[in-house]
């Protein structure tokens, strides 16, 4: 059941990039989604982790350049 799978998002360097969460978007998306927005030059690690007890997580390193 996809509705019971809640994901938490974390950011190792919020001054470099922000995580924007969209729910009930007017752009015809049926599922919530996130966008990572670069704020300044640097590197950050964005991590998505399940909270359903499965301990599934995935991280990605993002580099923002000028």
């Amino acid at each position: 059941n996809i509705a019971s799978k809640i994901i938490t998002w974390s950011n190792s360097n919020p001054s470099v990039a922000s995580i924007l969460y969209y729910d009930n978007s007017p752009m015809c998306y049926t599922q919530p989604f996130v966008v990572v927005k670069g704020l300044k030059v640097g590197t950050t690690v964005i991590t998505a982790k399940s909270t359903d007890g499965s301990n599934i997580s995935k991280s990605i390193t993002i580099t923002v350049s000028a």
Side-chain angles (χ1 to χ4, degrees), residues 41-64:
V41 173
T43 301
T44 189
V45 177
I46 305 294
T47 302
K49 183 176 182 183
S50 68
T51 59
D52 64 357
S54 64
N55 294 319
I56 296 171
S57 67
K58 184 67 177 175
S59 296
I60 186 168
T61 301
I62 296 177
T63 302
V64 177

Side-chain angles (χ1 to χ4, degrees), residues 1-2 4 7 20 37 39 45 50 56:
N1 182 348
I2 193 72
S4 66
I7 298 172
L20 307 171
K37 179 181 178 182
L39 301 174
V45 177
S50 68
I56 296 171

Side-chain angles (χ1 to χ4, degrees), residues 10-57:
S10 62
N11 183 352
S12 69
N13 195 348
S15 67
V16 170
S18 63
I19 300 171
L20 307 171
Y21 180 80
Y22 293 91
D23 191 10
N24 299 323
S25 169
M27 295 187 286
C28 300
Y29 290 98
T30 59
Q31 297 294 323
F33 64 98
V34 298
V35 173
V36 177
K37 179 181 178 182
L39 301 174
K40 71 175 191 176
V41 173
T43 301
T44 189
V45 177
I46 305 294
T47 302
K49 183 176 182 183
S50 68
T51 59
D52 64 357
S54 64
N55 294 319
I56 296 171
S57 67

